[in-house]
Amino acid sequence: MEKRNIKIEIEDKLHDEILRSNLERFSEQYPAARAKAYANVESIEALRDDLKEMKSYSVSHIEKLADQFQESLEKRGAKVFRAKDGEALKRQLLEICRENDVHNIVKSKSMATEEIRLNDYLEEQGLHVKETDLGEWMLSVAGQHPSHMVMPAIHLNRNQCAKFFSDELKEDIPSDIPFMVQTARRVMRKEFLKADMGISGANFGIAENGAIGLVTNEGNARIVTTMPPIHVIIIGYEKLIPKISDASKIMRLLPRNGTGQRMVSYLTLVDGPTPIIHEKNGKMVEENKKVYAILLDNGRLKAAHDPVMKEVYQCVRCASCLNVCPIWSTVGGNVYGHIYSGGIGAILTGLLNSMDDFAQFSDLCIGCRRCTTVCPGKINIPDLIQELRNRRVAEKGLSLPEKLIFQKIMTNRKIFHTLLRTASIGQKPVKSGKFIRNLPLFFAKMTEGRSLPAIADKPFRDRANDLFKNNPSSAKMKVAFFSGCNLDFVFPQTGESVVKVLQDIGAEVIYPQDQNCCGKPIIGAGDLETARKLAMQNIEALEKANADYIVAACPTCAETLKQTYKELFAHDRIWLERAENLSKKIREFTSLVEMSYAKNKRLKTTHGAEKITYHDSCHMRRSLDIYKEPRRLLEAAPGYDYVEMDGADQCCGMAGSFGMKYADLSVQLLNRKIHNIKESGAQTIAVACPACMMQIGGGLDKNAPEIKIKHIADILAENISD
Amino acid sequence: MRKVSHEWQKYLQKGFIDKKYWNDFKENAQAASVELKEVKNYEDAMPIIEDIIAGAEASRLAAVGGGESEELSRIYKNLGQKYQVYTDKFEIARNAPSVDIGISTAEFGVGETGSICVDNYSYEARVATMLPPINIVFMNKNNVVDTMTDAFEILEQVFDKGYTGFVTGPSRTSDIERVLTLGVHGPSRLILFAVDGME
Ligand code: SF4
Ligand code: SF4
């Protein structure tokens, strides 16, 4: 494993103006391009389901498909080998080269060969190898890695490209794009004509007849598989599909998602040896090409038999998960693994390269779940990343400060809360940076571009009893309020608003004092053992409350209590049952209030004097699927005029400890958000998540102090008389 | 000429093709930069081809598919009187890297995407369509299917081995600054003649 300093790499990328503007432009244009490509299909969801189903069938029959694929190809006259890893593949390929006296090789794009660094090896063996995809060719000349699976050179501009052309061809190539493309055509044509072997990957391999599918816009794969007398296919097991007709399930999604095209220029299907006409001993002859296929394992079969990780077989390498990822679109693909980038890249690197490599950039997924809304194979990328993190922690353990904080402090509510209270006096409890980042975020000091709020002098838990004097005398329901750390210790006034609004809809509100942190930071770090301890404490405290509903005004807490606790206790029948009972009672604040307002006809749209907009928290929007309710409440809030802003559902950059560890990157995401808020013309931005409130509030404070930020509870409480 | 199948038409007629998909095909093909020419018959294509040849200052052509269609073969003969037209597979193989235009055929079109399905089992068909800067293709205008799902249903029945696939516009790249540029490895122009009365 290469030891890397990801923080410094990120720093570099944040200062790479070319990269930044290329990515920014692209990620702005991508969603519309994708939508347009899908405009003529009835249901994207149905297509995604078809693909997912076909691919999950394939992975559960992977050995059978591999045997069938091999048999089909052999029957048609090809030779098929299997390679358990990169070394085995290289040896096999070299033997084929030697046997056939091969000197010049042309390649069309194959990520599997990049994964095992095949080109370096072949060149060391004295073979002449040329990538023919324009982007890959430029990168190979430049000695760089692709930063995107579909647009490998998206991080470069035309001047940089012209320089690579000039260096390689030893002539002065101007930075004129059509000229460069024509030059590439001219140069590569010569390579095609002299090549004695073509190596291709495969976008899919069909078991029933042994055909492979190759997807390109340039058409290089067609020439690679046509002109040289030998064709070697290098294909990973995950590309195998049962039937010819299954290919359409990939092809209706891959180009639309990948490049916003309804179809790529060339979808080529090659099956077995095909004729070639060439000169032999001064005479033109027609004969069959030699075709070899090598099935690459390199961790794939193990993944296929892993009940969780087998989901990666649903990936068709369209890269759309990168295109929508807030992290990728800020720092590009080179900070991930050396080939596969973005969230899916982290997973593939962990499975196909090594877990040590994975661990270096595994926290570059902030769990915003945007990728899960577009992925054609419906892969739960953030969940798979979390699973790998958990396994890593189970194997290697936590770092020392994390261990201390999670296992010794946070599980002991009294110590934890005493520490928080002390923090409110000193505001600088422990100076160690590591310590700070692992605690809930409010320990952090001021950072550049964003101020972070202080710990309140009096936490919510000390104010609760006074508030409950205002409980309605004849209550319609009994609600236990789960504040979470942020509303308890940072925004206790918002906690008060929550209570006021709940009382106003007829609820008797109580506050179980034994509640602790929901455990999300610990779950995120992968320490499930400690998380279970916290979960048990909370389940016990909340059961005792004997309430009809348990309300959280923090979507992360709501999700953790409602969903994650059940997962934590999947193998513990007794606690699972308790978690399930709890789950049924959990309500996210706005959705409960909205239901009551709707019932009591309190949702009439108003147009007050003050413009207000809304930011969707990632967890609220994509985990809880709550986005209509807060908008309806705001549209009806007296005194306000609701406007929608651009990119309302884009992550604000907070996302747990990520916001601290990669502060600069987090601020970049935040700046984009602030920009969109300003553009909307709103004087107030409403949120339903205290963590977003902290992050965006800090950014506004620095950059647009005239704009106010309020939790929806605060806005609703304003309109309720005392 | 060697083909994946000589019976495409038989399968297409199992309820896959319909004239009603033409408009979709046209829209999507044009969006993918296909230069679409709708003609009543082969004769009508002649003057257009001559214009193309003149406009491109072309003189040497590689033409495949004449063996399967008398009308196409007549066109090639006519063109051969004015220009150098290679129709023999060995001649095509030898000259494809340097000819100006390749002429070929497509089996059917796909409404959903504007793609054409090409049967390129033979080597001469592949080099004639990929190496020259211009590719002219003839297709029966009535042979359009609805979706890619239908297209692959047909392949499910037809494709046992060889070389086939779909072409959707000319060769293109966006690898430099995402600026669309045509003709990187394959043709920069794909000109499709959709012939009305073609059987
Ligand atoms: S969950 Fe968000 S941050 Fe993680 S990979 Fe997906 S889009 Fe990127
Ligand atoms: S994980 Fe999904 S979105 Fe990402 S490359 Fe694979 S198929 Fe595409």
Side-chain angles (χ1 to χ4, degrees):
Chain A
M1 181 195 67
E2 208 183 322
K3 193 102 185 101
R4 298 167 52 188
N5 189 331
I6 304 284
K7 271 193 174 173
I8 290 179
E9 287 182 33
I10 288 178
E11 195 65 20
D12 278 358
K13 300 297 172 197
L14 289 176
H15 290 106
D16 182 341
E17 289 306 321
I18 295 166
L19 172 80
R20 297 292 310 285
S21 77
N22 288 4
L23 297 186
E24 213 155 282
R25 218 168 347 119
F26 172 65
S27 54
E28 262 166 36
Q29 295 164 353
Y30 173 75
R34 175 177 180 271
K36 200 172 157 208
Y38 277 111
N40 69 340
V41 304
E42 243 168 68
S43 158
I44 305 180
E45 279 317 294
L47 293 179
R48 294 174 75 201
D49 286 334
D50 280 354
L51 176 62
K52 178 184 167 177
E53 200 193 313
M54 185 273 285
K55 293 287 263 175
S56 45
Y57 174 88
S58 302
V59 65
S60 53
H61 296 80
I62 193 66
E63 269 89 11
K64 204 181 117 216
L65 290 187
D67 289 345
Q68 210 188 343
F69 180 72
Q70 172 159 7
E71 197 184 305
S72 300
L73 262 180
E74 282 170 348
K75 207 172 86 191
R76 287 164 179 79
K79 282 203 173 132
V80 183
F81 302 97
R82 306 208 187 181
K84 75 170 190 327
D85 56 20
E87 287 317 305
L89 188 142
K90 288 170 189 167
R91 266 199 310 275
Q92 185 61 58
L93 183 61
L94 189 66
E95 206 180 303
I96 299 172
C97 291
R98 299 281 188 248
E99 229 170 68
N100 292 286
D101 196 22
V102 168
H103 299 283
N104 296 305
I105 301 176
V106 281
K107 275 185 74 201
S108 64
K109 194 174 159 116
S110 147
M111 311 209 57
T113 62
E114 287 173 42
E115 171 190 322
I116 59 169
R117 302 185 192 256
L118 181 65
N119 292 9
D120 295 348
Y121 171 79
L122 292 175
E123 270 161 13
E124 279 162 27
Q125 301 301 321
L127 292 151
H128 175 84
V129 188
K130 281 287 167 214
E131 288 293 340
T132 57
D133 173 89
L134 177 58
E136 301 280 338
W137 177 76
M138 290 189 303
L139 293 177
S140 69
V141 168
Q144 294 189 4
H145 293 307
S147 64
H148 187 275
M149 295 185 277
V150 174
M151 301 171 296
I154 187 170
H155 57 288
L156 301 175
N157 71 8
R158 67 185 76 191
N159 299 321
Q160 294 168 308
C161 295
K163 187 176 171 305
F164 301 144
F165 268 85
S166 306
D167 289 351
E168 172 73 3
L169 306 178
K170 317 240 172 341
E171 46 183 304
D172 210 9
I173 305 293
S175 60
D176 172 85
I177 296 178
F179 183 83
M180 283 191 270
V181 171
Q182 278 314 305
T183 305
R185 180 184 172 99
R186 175 167 59 78
V187 174
M188 245 95 88
R189 205 35 93 71
K190 284 195 205 130
E191 298 288 343
F192 284 126
L193 291 172
K194 75 173 188 207
D196 32 33
M197 175 186 278
I199 298 181
S200 79
N203 290 86
F204 51 85
I206 304 170
E208 72 172 341
N209 72 343
I212 58 157
L214 293 164
V215 173
T216 68
N217 272 317
E218 297 182 2
N220 54 324
R222 270 177 97 75
I223 310 185
V224 164
T225 54
T226 292
M227 300 198 70
I230 300 170
H231 176 198
V232 179
I233 302 158
I234 292 176
I235 178 172
Y237 280 85
E238 77 281 17
K239 301 292 172 61
L240 297 176
I241 59 175
K243 287 154 61 75
I244 298 169
S245 51
D246 290 327
S248 69
K249 294 175 186 162
I250 298 173
M251 292 313 301
R252 294 190 74 181
L253 291 150
L254 173 58
R256 284 182 166 103
N257 252 54
T259 46
Q261 291 173 284
R262 289 192 175 153
M263 187 50 61
V264 287
S265 292
Y266 301 100
L267 163 55
T268 297
L269 301 164
V270 196
D271 190 359
T274 52
I276 179 175
I277 301 174
H278 57 167
E279 219 181 274
K280 245 186 172 175
N281 313 323
K283 233 178 86 197
M284 292 301 269
V285 292
E286 180 170 26
E287 59 185 355
N288 266 349
K289 288 174 69 122
K290 280 192 180 175
V291 177
Y292 300 87
I294 311 180
L295 270 162
L296 176 64
D297 177 355
N298 207 32
R300 288 167 170 80
L301 289 176
K302 187 165 167 234
H305 295 291
D306 182 319
V308 183
M309 290 302 152
K310 67 176 188 207
E311 218 178 304
V312 296
Y313 272 68
Q314 288 152 225
C315 175
V316 295
R317 309 280 192 271
C318 70
S320 56
C321 52
L322 313 190
N323 303 349
V324 300
C325 175
I327 305 298
W328 179 85
S329 61
T330 309
V331 293
N334 287 132
V335 299
Y336 298 86
H338 74 280
I339 297 307
Y340 302 107
S341 53
I344 187 68
I347 302 167
L348 292 172
T349 302
L351 297 176
L352 310 179
N353 287 59
S354 80
M355 283 298 281
D356 287 341
D357 285 308
F358 163 81
Q360 295 193 73
F361 46 83
S362 66
D363 44 11
L364 287 180
C365 167
I366 53 179
C368 76
R369 307 197 76 81
R370 280 195 96 197
C371 52
T372 62
T373 64
V374 296
C375 171
K378 290 195 146 180
I379 300 178
N380 289 300
I381 294 170
D383 300 343
L384 295 189
I385 291 180
Q386 188 59 50
E387 172 69 19
L388 287 182
R389 282 182 196 146
N390 296 352
R391 291 181 187 184
R392 175 90 182 161
V393 169
E395 192 194 328
K396 300 256 156 157
L398 290 169
S399 68
L400 266 182
E402 279 176 324
K403 214 171 181 165
L404 171 73
I405 297 157
F406 294 163
Q407 298 173 1
K408 296 278 176 307
I409 300 177
M410 288 179 74
T411 47
N412 188 326
R413 188 186 63 75
K414 287 208 178 104
I415 296 184
F416 177 39
H417 286 167
T418 310
L419 204 69
L420 287 176
R421 286 171 203 270
T422 328
S424 94
I425 305 164
Q427 292 294 342
K428 278 190 214 110
V430 184
K431 284 232 173 99
S432 148
K434 267 211 162 151
F435 188 86
I436 285 168
R437 115 173 117 80
N438 288 305
L439 279 175
L441 294 159
F442 35 75
F443 275 111
K445 52 192 183 321
M446 304 273 276
T447 55
E448 223 178 291
R450 157 185 64 170
S451 20
L452 286 166
I455 306 259
D457 340 320
K458 192 175 176 188
F460 178 83
R461 57 180 56 244
D462 295 355
R463 310 178 185 208
N465 278 339
D466 283 349
L467 301 172
F468 301 138
K469 292 185 191 124
N470 302 329
N471 272 337
S473 44
S474 56
K476 289 190 220 154
M477 54 187 150
K478 186 172 169 189
V479 169
F481 177 37
F482 185 89
S483 61
C485 305
N486 286 332
L487 291 187
D488 194 355
F489 286 91
V490 185
F491 300 118
Q493 302 90 332
T494 300
E496 294 179 348
S497 300
V498 169
V499 173
K500 191 170 174 188
V501 173
L502 291 174
Q503 288 170 333
D504 179 60
I505 61 170
E508 177 202 348
V509 186
I510 52 166
Y511 187 80
Q513 288 282 344
D514 286 341
Q515 61 180 277
N516 198 346
C517 170
C518 70
K520 180 67 194 181
I522 301 176
I523 295 166
D527 183 2
L528 302 188
E529 220 20 72
T530 309
R532 276 185 204 105
K533 286 191 190 136
L534 278 185
M536 288 176 186
Q537 293 176 12
N538 282 325
I539 292 174
E540 247 160 22
L542 294 169
E543 274 173 353
K544 268 192 230 141
N546 222 345
D548 302 312
Y549 299 116
I550 294 151
V551 170
C554 165
T556 305
C557 296
E559 184 199 359
T560 306
L561 298 173
K562 199 174 173 65
Q563 287 303 332
T564 320
Y565 283 7
K566 288 194 284 187
E567 291 158 22
L568 285 176
F569 296 116
H571 302 294
D572 180 335
R573 207 172 45 82
I574 294 168
W575 280 97
L576 177 61
E577 200 182 316
R578 292 173 77 172
E580 274 168 352
N581 288 336
L582 177 78
S583 169
K584 288 184 200 127
K585 292 188 175 180
I586 306 293
R587 296 289 181 278
E588 187 281 324
F589 171 75
T590 63
S591 57
L592 182 78
V593 175
E594 193 264 350
M595 212 157 71
S596 156
Y597 278 27
K599 208 159 115 200
N600 295 299
K601 312 232 168 341
R602 292 171 69 175
L603 286 180
K604 272 193 41 207
T605 304
T606 59
H607 295 285
E610 187 161 337
K611 272 197 187 165
I612 191 165
T613 187
Y614 175 69
H615 157 77
D616 290 283
S617 121
C618 297
H619 287 266
M620 183 103 153
R621 173 72 186 82
R622 286 177 286 271
S623 292
L624 300 174
D625 198 28
I626 299 172
Y627 59 99
K628 293 188 191 121
E629 294 87 339
R631 286 179 169 79
R632 281 193 209 117
L633 289 170
L634 291 171
E635 277 160 8
Y640 293 100
D641 187 18
Y642 182 73
V643 291
E644 189 68 29
M645 70 165 165
D646 278 348
D649 72 342
Q650 272 164 21
C651 182
C652 65
M654 183 49 126
S657 62
F658 168 87
M660 291 298 114
K661 181 164 179 192
Y662 298 111
D664 294 341
L665 178 47
S666 162
V667 167
Q668 291 300 330
L669 302 185
L670 174 60
N671 288 345
R672 216 182 283 173
K673 180 98 295 173
I674 304 284
H675 171 81
N676 284 334
I677 296 172
K678 281 193 195 154
E679 289 290 296
S680 77
Q683 291 119 302
T684 302
I685 164 94
V687 291
C689 165
C692 301
M693 184 145 107
M694 199 183 294
Q695 166 89 339
I696 299 175
L700 290 172
D701 191 41
K702 288 263 173 166
N703 302 303
E706 69 284 1
I707 302 175
K708 295 187 283 283
I709 183 156
K710 291 178 184 171
H711 192 287
I712 294 190
D714 295 321
I715 292 160
L716 298 177
E718 284 168 12
N719 287 305
I720 299 168
S721 55
D722 286 316
Chain B
M1 186 172 67
R2 189 127 168 219
K3 292 185 79 172
V4 163
S5 170
H6 290 281
E7 293 188 310
W8 287 94
Q9 204 61 35
K10 186 178 112 194
Y11 292 101
L12 287 168
Q13 273 157 356
K14 287 183 177 176
F16 286 109
I17 48 174
D18 198 307
K19 284 193 168 78
K20 70 181 177 204
Y21 307 132
W22 173 256
N23 283 339
D24 281 347
F25 174 78
K26 182 173 172 174
E27 193 190 314
N28 285 312
Q30 286 174 336
S33 311
V34 174
E35 299 173 44
L36 203 53
K37 315 277 179 201
E38 296 172 58
V39 289
K40 290 222 164 49
N41 50 48
Y42 282 91
E43 271 73 78
D44 290 2
M46 262 312 272
I48 308 176
I49 295 181
E50 289 189 65
D51 281 352
I52 295 167
I53 294 175
E57 294 177 21
S59 61
R60 299 167 66 235
L61 289 75
V64 297
E68 281 72 41
S69 155
E70 268 175 39
E71 283 158 306
L72 208 51
S73 139
R74 205 171 310 132
I75 295 252
Y76 294 165
K77 250 188 220 115
N78 288 341
L79 287 171
Q81 290 172 3
K82 278 193 172 172
Y83 315 99
Q84 175 66 56
V85 181
Y86 301 105
T87 53
D88 171 72
K89 63 183 176 185
F90 293 106
E91 292 280 297
I92 293 175
R94 195 193 303 278
N95 293 292
S98 60
V99 301
D100 306 306
I101 297 177
I103 308 184
S104 60
T105 58
E107 306 307 325
F108 64 91
V110 185
E112 179 188 0
T113 58
S115 312
I116 53 176
C117 177
V118 293
D119 182 336
N120 289 157
Y121 201 160
S122 68
Y123 181 78
E124 62 273 23
R126 275 177 271 147
V127 289
T129 53
M130 280 312 282
L131 300 186
I134 299 175
N135 182 199
I136 294 175
V137 184
F138 281 90
M139 183 183 91
N140 183 339
K141 190 178 168 188
N142 298 326
N143 281 0
V144 180
V145 306
D146 186 8
T147 62
M148 263 293 152
T149 307
D150 289 351
F152 272 92
E153 280 303 328
I154 295 166
L155 286 178
E156 183 75 64
Q157 304 179 37
V158 171
F159 183 35
D160 179 57
K161 63 174 179 185
Y163 205 112
T164 179
F166 296 87
V167 177
T168 315
S171 159
R172 72 189 74 213
T173 184
S174 304
D175 272 349
I176 306 179
E177 289 190 7
R178 293 196 305 116
V179 175
L180 177 65
T181 315
L182 300 180
V184 53
H185 289 293
S188 56
R189 294 177 68 191
L190 179 72
I191 303 161
L192 181 65
F193 283 94
V195 188
D196 217 350
M198 193 162 158
E199 282 316 319

